[in-house]
């Protein structure tokens, strides 16, 4: 058998074509998942400086506090840009509904 015939036979083999890549994906995925999970648990074990942790707890921002800040501000009025534009472009003025 020639090398060409062997390569053709290997390309037609469905186990080598689909099974081996799937097996590599499953085994490689399990190793990758294990490594990422280990990084997650290692990150939980790291302790934060108590002074920094106290500072972070003092500066909490909540939805209610942001709402209270925005409640006191005046919202600018709407500007009718389309009405102002209609005087410049006659086509837009013809598309506007008549009162």
């Amino acid at each position: 058998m020639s090398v060409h015939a062997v390569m053709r036979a290997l390309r037609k083999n469905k186990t080598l074509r689909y099974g081996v890549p799937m097996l590599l994906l499953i085994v490689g995925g399990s190793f990758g998942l294990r490594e990422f999970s280990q990084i997650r648990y290692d990150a939980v074990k790291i302790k934060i400086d108590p002074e920094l942790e106290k500072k972070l707890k003092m500066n909490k921002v909540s939805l209610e506090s942001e709402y209270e800040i925005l409640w006191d501000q005046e919202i600018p009025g709407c500007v009718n840009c389309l009405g102002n534009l209609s005087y410049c472009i006659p086509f837009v003025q013809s598309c506007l509904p008549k009162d």
Side-chain angles (χ1 to χ4, degrees):
M1 274 178 108
S2 70
V3 174
H4 186 64
V6 171
M7 291 301 288
R8 188 176 332 131
L10 288 177
R11 271 193 223 121
K12 287 186 176 184
N13 189 345
K14 289 190 179 195
T15 302
L16 289 176
R17 197 165 180 190
Y18 300 110
V20 172
M22 186 65 178
L23 186 64
L24 287 173
L25 181 70
I26 292 170
V27 172
S30 69
F31 281 116
L33 185 62
R34 187 183 72 203
E35 290 299 318
F36 282 117
S37 296
Q38 187 63 40
I39 290 170
R40 175 182 163 202
Y41 292 123
D42 290 343
V44 170
K45 292 178 185 175
I46 296 173
K47 295 293 180 183
I48 298 175
D49 184 31
E51 184 178 318
L52 178 63
E53 188 174 3
K54 190 185 306 179
K55 187 177 180 182
L56 288 174
K57 284 184 180 180
M58 288 175 46
N59 294 333
K60 282 197 172 184
V61 177
S62 66
L63 184 62
E64 290 82 14
S65 65
E66 290 298 314
Y67 177 75
E68 291 297 325
I69 293 170
L70 291 174
W71 181 259
D72 296 333
Q73 293 180 355
E74 187 174 322
I75 298 172
C78 295
V79 178
N80 189 357
C81 297
L82 185 60
N84 295 338
L85 184 67
S86 68
Y87 293 113
C88 301
I89 304 172
F91 172 73
V92 174
Q93 189 173 6
S94 65
C95 292
L96 291 175
K98 306 280 190 253
D99 287 336

